[in-house]
Amino acid sequence: AGMAGAFLMEIRRGTQSALLVIRYAAAELPSAPVEVSVCADSLEVKSGGSCDAAALPAGVRLAPSSCRGLRRLRGDGLHLRMRLHHPPPAADEVFTLRESLKPNKDYVFYCQSCGDIVVKDRKFLRVLPLPSENWSDLVEEWCCHPDPFARSTLHPQHGDCFVGDTFFLLNSGNESHVPESPKSKENTRVICKRCKTMLGETVSSDTIKYYVTEVIIQPAEGSFSPIARSQFVQSMVAQCLLELSSAKSTFRFTIKGDNGKTYILIWLLNSDTLLVESLGSSSSHSDFTLFGDILTPSSGPVGTWNAVKVLYQPCIQCRNTELADAWENDMGVHPLKFPSETCLELLLVLGLSTTSLPPSLRCMNSFQVRNSFC
């Protein structure tokens, strides 16, 4: 009777608060009074002769007496804020790229797009972190004499794997897909032999860079497990944001392509969000026609996701050039580099996620809002 029966609840673990949005079917308003019942472990919506109820996931307990701020927003539905009875289970610990590789173990690198083997049975004696890509810009602040690292290069030997913010550096060895003598920027691109996807680029005659968004690394005794492309890209980018914000207290990022262009400005808002959504008639699913695999919830009629909430601005087609220039010159902004094609994929995923939110939650100041699932 005018109700879609779908709801979206955004929970903040840190503040133990929740925003509940009960969403109407498109362009419909209830023809009868709506009665919303909030219990510690369930929600119920009555309108006319219909009644829609949903049990909340285990670990999510509300404090019904704290409900406040009930209002209806056109195009959204009913909004209601409340407190939690106790915080939901903590999200998994922050994943770090270095933890995905261990010394003295054999690994296989697969192309994430098609599963073709890129690096076979490689054992690393050392797995070492690299400094940030702009580390040399800070040398003048560290040293009172000429740069002692000016002629130094950080190139891995055969048993080394160097881990950067968004890439792995390996000794190229005898990899057949690596250009023997790059003569131009285009010739430095490392391409998958099967699907022709860009996997990385050559850094020198014996060093190759693989981007974390383009390869899946598995122990040699394991097997390739396919992951939907859009889900993998957003998960890896979210993990990069979490790791850097945790280690460096950096919350603003520029997403750059391998061509040097800035594609996206990202501002990390929080990483303690838990989304709870009814699945029966959720509007977000119809909005994810191209990237429906992004939403991979827990089983049952109600899905839950750990999410990273970000603000973003696209910088393609000459948009936001002044803001991008200001961020470029700001030492508090951290650049992240990915293949240009992946930057465009990420921008599309961001846009699709924004359209899945209720209209009132899609913007903050001049930025667009996006929930990225870990």
Side-chain angles (χ1 to χ4, degrees), residues 204-279:
S204 69
S205 59
D206 61 354
T207 302
I208 185 171
K209 174 194 294 185
Y210 291 107
Y211 288 104
V212 297
T213 53
E214 313 308 317
V215 295
I216 290 181
I217 304 172
Q218 299 280 359
E221 62 271 16
S223 58
F224 176 74
S225 300
I227 302 175
R229 176 65 184 163
S230 55
Q231 182 182 349
F232 182 79
V233 168
Q234 70 164 340
S235 176
M236 294 307 299
V237 173
Q239 289 167 5
C240 290
L241 299 181
L242 285 176
E243 181 177 352
L244 287 167
S245 63
S246 176
K248 303 178 183 294
S249 296
T250 298
F251 304 98
R252 289 184 296 160
F253 304 87
T254 56
I255 304 299
K256 293 177 170 289
D258 62 289
N259 56 7
K261 294 182 180 179
T262 298
Y263 285 81
I264 315 170
L265 308 178
I266 290 183
W267 196 323
L268 176 63
L269 280 185
N270 65 68
S271 57
D272 66 345
T273 297
L274 176 68
L275 294 180
V276 181
E277 187 174 14
S278 62
L279 304 179

Side-chain angles (χ1 to χ4, degrees), residues 22-44:
I22 299 173
R23 310 182 73 169
Y24 298 133
E28 289 187 14
L29 291 175
S31 56
V34 176
E35 180 181 334
V36 180
S37 298
V38 178
C39 300
D41 58 356
S42 64
L43 299 170
E44 185 178 82

Side-chain angles (χ1 to χ4, degrees), residues 301-351:
V302 176
T304 60
W305 300 266
N306 290 313
V308 174
K309 181 175 283 291
V310 301
L311 304 179
Y312 73 96
Q313 287 279 22
C315 296
I316 59 174
Q317 298 177 341
C318 300
R319 297 175 63 182
N320 300 304
T321 53
E322 291 185 5
L323 182 60
D325 291 341
W327 280 36
E328 185 75 25
N329 297 320
D330 190 330
M331 293 297 291
V333 178
H334 194 87
L336 295 176
K337 181 180 175 182
F338 298 100
S340 300
E341 296 86 348
T342 299
C343 295
L344 292 174
E345 289 181 78
L346 178 61
L347 187 56
L348 178 57
V349 170
L350 290 170

Side-chain angles (χ1 to χ4, degrees), residues 4 13 28 32 46 52 59 63 118 135 143 145 147 163 180 196 208 215 217 266 273 278 290 293 311 326 369 371:
R13 290 184 173 89
E28 289 187 14
K46 294 180 181 179
D52 295 301
V118 179
W135 68 275
C143 303
H145 48 81
D147 183 358
V163 184
E180 293 183 3
K196 309 306 179 185
I208 185 171
V215 295
I217 304 172
I266 290 183
T273 297
S278 62
L290 296 178
D293 51 87
L311 304 179
V369 180
N371 289 313

Side-chain angles (χ1 to χ4, degrees), residues 1-3 30-35 45-51:
M3 292 299 292
S31 56
V34 176
E35 180 181 334
V45 180
K46 294 180 181 179
S47 180
S50 69
C51 178

Side-chain angles (χ1 to χ4, degrees), residues 19 24 68-73 77-81 360-361:
L19 169 64
Y24 298 133
R68 67 188 190 281
L70 177 64
R71 58 177 180 158
R72 179 178 69 84
L73 294 181
L78 298 177
H79 283 231
L80 182 63
R81 293 187 178 275
S360 66
L361 302 181

